[in-house]
Amino acid sequence: MSKRYAGITGTGHYVPEYVLTNQELETIVDTNDEWIRTRTGIRERRILKDKDKATSFMATRAAEEVLERTGTDPKEIDVIIVATVTPDYMFPATACLVQKNIGATRAYAFDMLAACSGFLFALTTGSNMIESGRAQKVLVIGADKMSSIVDYTDRNTCILFGDGAGAVLLEAFEEETGVIDYVHYTDGDDQCLLYQPAGGSKRPASHETVDLHLHSLRQDGRPVFKKATEGMADVSAEIMKRNNLTGEDVDWLVPHQANLRIISATANRMGLDPSKVMINIDKYGNTTAATIPLCLCEWSDRLSKGDKLVLTAFGGGLTWGATYVKWSV
Ligand code: ACO
């Protein structure tokens, strides 16, 4: 059998309407617009205010958009993977709720947890399913309602995150296109540099865990910043070297949007002109698993068949990686 490739044939996205600006955050915690902009690049982020709506709502909207844009019948979908750290429930998986909502009656569905690297790892999983010949069409979604695990009394973290979802459709190709190569890493975070202390089996929910705000994300920003800057730059350089790519060859860098300074360091290391870097952190902040598909969706009109993209992320786990994609449509 000739080699099969998994190409991205469409994108979809959803961001909530409510805009939480730096100015509004100034009224909530001891911070200021200038600090947030110069340290992170963030001006505002979107928040899903409706208490009845959760990650599956945003993931469903993103999935519906990609199905509509590609003219795909949901019954054609074989697999749905949702990357998220903020599932509606511990179980059932958010992907199962999306499967029901969109009527993908033939698909099996599951969630993947790799924090900010979640979309990249899910893209690899989905593309391997297609390359193996066992699946024809896979929906890969990155979605996070970060506002549900952010402590709005902690200025170190509450300024960073926003809510959103992005989706791509992967389809089988005979020609060399789509996901060409990937490099992924993990370095188990036994020091708890970036984690959600309670709610899992180690520290189930109790009055005490709620009183101590232990269900919110915690981050030791400085060491994570250092590791993220090194990790994203090194892995991007590594995937370029493996594929004989220079900064001239790469058409687009699609970086996880955690901090503008980390993105700039990665682009510099790759020798890329800043005009080739997708950046929307100013509008959305860090939407965890959603940042990369949100960029792909926003830039989709400017992408051409054959464009060479390097996707790269770093996140909790610790997890990081880069993926080389040739645009398929
Ligand atoms: N407003 C004003 N001052 C602040 C704020 C704020 N919102 N937050 C922190 N400060 C203060 C600190 O208290 C500190 O003051 P001190 O020196 O008196 O102690 C000072 O500003 C500097 O703090 P740093 O933590 O050194 O600031 P830094 O420049 O490192 O920026 C940041 C912090 C933006 C969090 C940065 O460390 C970062 O981006 N880290 C990496 C994030 C990342 O990539 N995470 C991985 C992905 S996320 C995921 O997987 C879910």
Side-chain angles (χ1 to χ4, degrees):
M1 196 174 99
S2 62
K3 184 162 169 31
R4 285 158 56 102
Y5 291 88
I8 296 175
T9 54
T11 58
H13 83 299
Y14 176 81
V15 288
E17 273 173 31
Y18 189 83
V19 178
L20 175 59
T21 61
N22 290 350
Q23 286 73 21
E24 185 176 348
L25 279 169
E26 286 176 4
T27 68
I28 300 171
V29 287
D30 179 16
T31 189
N32 61 79
D33 173 56
E34 205 256 333
W35 192 97
I36 301 173
R37 273 191 294 102
T38 52
R39 297 291 179 115
T40 71
I42 302 168
R43 289 175 185 276
E44 56 191 42
R45 60 294 284 142
R46 300 300 182 96
I47 302 294
L48 188 59
K49 282 280 189 184
D50 188 336
K51 295 256 181 294
D52 296 330
K53 293 196 169 82
T55 299
S56 68
F57 167 78
M58 299 190 292
T60 298
R61 295 289 289 267
E64 286 168 346
E65 187 172 87
V66 69
L67 293 175
E68 191 192 320
R69 284 181 170 193
T70 54
T72 305
D73 181 338
K75 294 182 184 59
E76 294 171 46
I77 303 296
D78 299 305
V79 187
I80 301 170
I81 310 172
V82 174
T84 187
V85 292
T86 52
D88 290 31
Y89 310 103
M90 287 304 289
F91 68 91
T94 300
C96 300
L97 306 175
V98 174
Q99 179 269 346
K100 184 62 133 191
N101 289 344
I102 65 173
T105 47
R106 280 187 47 253
Y108 69 95
F110 60 94
D111 287 357
M112 184 165 280
L113 194 158
C116 295
S117 308
F119 179 79
L120 276 198
F121 288 15
L123 187 69
T124 298
T125 306
S127 63
N128 283 340
M129 289 169 167
I130 287 181
E131 286 170 27
S132 75
R134 303 301 287 264
Q136 299 298 322
K137 298 193 184 206
V138 179
L139 262 183
V140 180
I141 303 170
D144 271 301
K145 184 182 170 185
M146 293 306 288
S147 61
S148 66
I149 58 164
V150 162
D151 177 355
Y152 286 96
T153 65
D154 175 13
R155 71 174 183 173
N156 292 295
T157 53
C158 75
I159 55 132
L160 299 171
F161 296 97
D163 303 337
V168 301
L169 179 63
L170 288 175
E171 295 189 59
F173 283 78
E174 300 295 325
E175 66 192 277
E176 194 199 66
T177 185
V179 178
I180 305 295
D181 193 16
Y182 63 89
V183 182
H184 296 340
Y185 290 108
T186 294
D187 180 13
D189 182 10
D190 55 0
Q191 295 168 57
C192 299
L193 296 175
L194 177 51
Y195 78 132
Q196 188 179 351
S201 57
K202 182 160 181 168
R203 206 144 180 205
S206 66
H207 285 292
E208 188 196 20
T209 61
V210 172
D211 290 343
L212 295 173
H213 295 215
L214 296 181
H215 294 273
S216 303
L217 166 154
R218 297 273 173 92
Q219 174 173 251
D220 192 352
R222 273 178 222 188
V224 175
F225 180 86
K226 190 166 178 291
K227 285 174 186 283
T229 308
E230 286 169 5
M232 272 175 52
D234 285 352
V235 78
S236 301
E238 184 179 347
I239 202 145
M240 287 171 73
K241 192 164 175 222
R242 272 164 64 126
N243 291 278
N244 298 316
L245 295 169
T246 65
E248 290 284 300
D249 301 323
V250 175
D251 295 295
W252 294 100
L253 170 63
V254 194
H256 171 54
Q257 313 277 313
N259 188 309
L260 191 55
R261 291 181 286 149
I262 300 174
I263 295 172
S264 301
T266 304
N268 279 341
R269 176 73 176 282
M270 294 169 71
L272 278 197
D273 189 90
S275 64
K276 293 180 171 182
V277 186
M278 296 187 190
I279 296 171
N280 57 16
I281 189 172
D282 50 323
K283 293 191 294 183
Y284 304 135
N286 184 348
T287 54
T288 302
T291 62
I292 289 177
L294 271 178
C295 282
L296 290 175
C297 191
E298 283 206 353
W299 266 261
S300 58
D301 289 349
R302 282 180 262 172
L303 298 176
S304 307
K305 189 174 162 84
D307 275 0
K308 298 183 175 75
L309 282 61
V310 172
L311 285 45
T312 182
F314 185 97
L318 302 168
T319 54
W320 68 104
T323 301
Y324 169 34
V325 170
K326 274 192 199 163
W327 202 246
S328 304
V329 287

